[in-house]
Amino acid sequence: MNQKPFSLTADLDFLYQSAEHSRVFEEILAAVYRRDGLICLTGEPGTGKTVICRRLLEELGDDYRVVVVNTPPRTPEDMTQTLDEALTEMESDTKIPVVIFDEAQHLDSRCLDHIKFLTNLEKEGGKLLQIILVGQPELEEKLGHKRFIQLEQRIGAKLRLGRLGAKEVLPYLTHHLDVASIYRDLQFTRGAARTLFRKTGGVPRLINRIANITVDFALEVGKAKIRPSLIRRAELKVSAARGDWQETAQLGYGYSRLATLAALLILSAGALFYTHPEWPSLVDRLYNGKAQATFQPSRFSLKAGAFLKREEAEDLRAQLSEWGLPSLVVTKDLGDGWILYQVRLQETYDPAEAESKLELLRGMGIMDSDKIPVQATNHVSR
């Protein structure tokens, strides 16, 4: 085996061009060649958006200079500086600049307004700057807001990258094994592919996560055919590694049921305060300013993100784990069938540590990270 066939990192060597992927890529290329100015690509986490960006870097020829901005700028000034640094070498050449903003759902309103300004710049009858916004479905929701109606109207191509279909999973698996030079020794059965589709919904990154463990199991026991039983065994291992904080608490850490219940109440109260930012000011008014004197948090929990879909929260949690940042998922019932899934780092931090860790998270592109106050007396070290 020359390479791991199912790595979680984007690798063009293993690119499987599904019908959906090929369609989206060709439409983006056509929009760039037309010099539409603004292109938007959205898709759920793990569907292959980063691979699209990598392909554009390789596909666009010498007439273009492609720049990928992986960490979304925080302010219009940061955006201008980023573009100046990336495109400063282009002053004397005739290349068309193409700037790809990855994780663009984290761009704030001011930055999106600035992009509207940048799309006004023209040269020789075409847009001076080609901008491609790549992000999760929240980006589409942002651009649909009435504030950005003018920006949304300037999008030349609005595309969404979907999941693999049920019939595409087996060819996808076979392609990866073939590239890794182990297809002759190891193969997935059709039943295994169907099981894997049911477990992952066709999301390539989730397929890779389970298939990676499955291949290790098969090689370990000397199986040439990967059947549904091995898929289920691998999925159980992945699920065990992704258990949320409630499940962890039930496993013990030696706590009594009463202590566990107290911890749940504390975290729920923290989540409630965070999701209703008007509450702290209301409490302050009720106590005539005494609230600050009675509660001055010395430790903080760190929120990395909040989602309405559990799989998106779990995806962020897995990503944090790969970066060496253990995290947990806190749930909150919002009523009417809606549940909020919030991802938090497992540890709590003093103010200086919290600010340092927030800077680290935002440097990784996790722009929605924030501090949540925790009562110092309730802090438990692990």
Side-chain angles (χ1 to χ4, degrees), residues 45-251:
T47 49
K49 300 185 298 297
T50 300
V51 175
I52 292 276
C53 296
R54 297 274 181 88
R55 284 191 68 191
L56 285 171
L57 281 170
E58 290 199 351
E59 184 74 21
L60 291 173
D62 295 336
D63 293 336
Y64 297 86
R65 176 176 175 80
V66 185
V67 175
V68 179
V69 181
N70 292 306
T71 303
R74 299 185 189 180
T75 66
E77 293 75 20
D78 289 342
M79 180 176 287
T80 299
Q81 182 178 352
T82 298
L83 295 178
D84 284 345
E85 292 173 353
L87 305 174
T88 185
E89 300 175 5
M90 293 187 54
E91 294 180 0
S92 60
D93 64 31
T94 58
K95 291 183 178 182
I96 300 171
V98 178
V99 179
I100 302 172
F101 288 100
D102 201 4
E103 300 297 337
Q105 74 274 6
H106 295 304
L107 291 170
D108 69 11
S109 300
R110 295 171 301 160
C111 288
L112 291 174
D113 285 334
H114 192 56
I115 286 176
K116 181 177 67 176
F117 163 75
L118 293 174
T119 59
N120 287 329
L121 304 177
E122 296 188 1
K123 180 181 180 181
E124 299 175 354
K127 296 297 182 182
L128 177 63
L129 183 64
Q130 299 275 81
I131 297 176
I132 304 176
L133 300 178
V134 179
Q136 296 177 19
E138 300 95 281
L139 173 62
E140 193 173 342
E141 295 175 11
K142 270 189 178 181
L143 294 175
H145 191 276
K146 61 182 180 180
R147 171 173 177 170
F148 302 115
I149 186 169
Q150 293 183 5
L151 178 63
E152 196 270 344
Q153 290 174 348
R154 299 182 191 201
I155 299 175
K158 186 188 297 183
L159 305 165
R160 174 176 287 189
L161 189 61
R163 307 176 178 192
L164 291 176
K167 294 182 179 179
E168 292 179 303
V169 174
L170 184 58
Y172 175 87
L173 297 168
T174 300
H175 172 77
H176 278 248
L177 294 176
D178 192 31
V179 173
S181 301
I182 58 173
Y183 177 66
R184 292 184 179 180
D185 304 317
L186 192 64
Q187 297 176 24
F188 286 82
T189 64
R190 291 186 180 277
R194 287 194 295 268
T195 301
L196 196 48
F197 176 77
R198 288 196 299 271
K199 298 291 185 182
T200 64
V203 176
R205 188 185 297 164
L206 299 182
I207 292 173
N208 284 10
R209 185 178 297 162
I210 296 176
N212 187 42
I213 297 174
T214 305
V215 167
D216 287 343
F217 282 161
L219 294 175
E220 181 182 331
V221 298
K223 295 281 189 181
K225 294 282 187 180
I226 294 178
R227 303 186 185 280
S229 57
L230 276 184
I231 298 292
R232 288 190 287 268
R233 179 181 169 190
E235 197 272 338
L236 286 173
K237 183 173 181 180
V238 170
S239 298
R242 288 164 48 188
D244 65 21
W245 68 282
Q246 292 172 323
E247 294 164 349
T248 301
Q250 290 170 3
L251 289 176

Side-chain angles (χ1 to χ4, degrees), residues 187-365:
Q187 297 176 24
F188 286 82
T189 64
R190 291 186 180 277
R194 287 194 295 268
T195 301
L196 196 48
F197 176 77
R198 288 196 299 271
K199 298 291 185 182
T200 64
V203 176
R205 188 185 297 164
L206 299 182
I207 292 173
N208 284 10
R209 185 178 297 162
I210 296 176
N212 187 42
I213 297 174
T214 305
V215 167
D216 287 343
F217 282 161
L219 294 175
E220 181 182 331
V221 298
K223 295 281 189 181
K225 294 282 187 180
I226 294 178
R227 303 186 185 280
S229 57
L230 276 184
I231 298 292
R232 288 190 287 268
R233 179 181 169 190
E235 197 272 338
L236 286 173
K237 183 173 181 180
V238 170
S239 298
R242 288 164 48 188
D244 65 21
W245 68 282
Q246 292 172 323
E247 294 164 349
T248 301
Q250 290 170 3
L251 289 176
Y253 288 107
Y255 297 137
S256 66
R257 292 186 178 182
L258 183 60
T260 300
L261 178 59
L264 294 179
L265 291 173
I266 293 166
L267 287 172
S268 297
L272 196 59
F273 261 75
Y274 181 79
T275 55
H276 297 277
E278 70 276 14
W279 283 27
S281 60
L282 176 61
V283 173
D284 185 62
R285 292 196 300 272
L286 289 174
Y287 283 87
N288 296 318
K290 294 180 181 179
Q292 292 183 353
T294 58
F295 176 49
Q296 296 180 351
S298 60
R299 298 196 70 80
F300 296 87
S301 174
L302 295 187
K303 182 207 75 165
F307 306 89
L308 291 176
K309 294 182 180 180
R310 184 175 188 105
E311 58 265 31
E312 294 179 359
E314 295 288 5
D315 193 81
L316 175 57
R317 185 182 178 195
Q319 187 177 17
L320 290 169
S321 179
E322 293 172 9
W323 291 339
L325 296 171
S327 58
L328 50 85
V329 176
V330 179
T331 61
K332 176 177 174 54
D333 191 342
L334 302 178
D336 295 326
W338 293 95
I339 297 177
L340 179 70
Y341 300 94
Q342 193 178 89
V343 182
R344 299 186 188 177
L345 299 191
Q346 284 187 1
E347 302 297 326
T348 61
Y349 305 89
D350 63 32
E353 291 172 336
E355 290 297 332
S356 175
K357 194 67 71 172
L358 279 178
E359 186 175 349
L360 173 65
L361 290 171
R362 289 167 181 165
M364 293 174 172

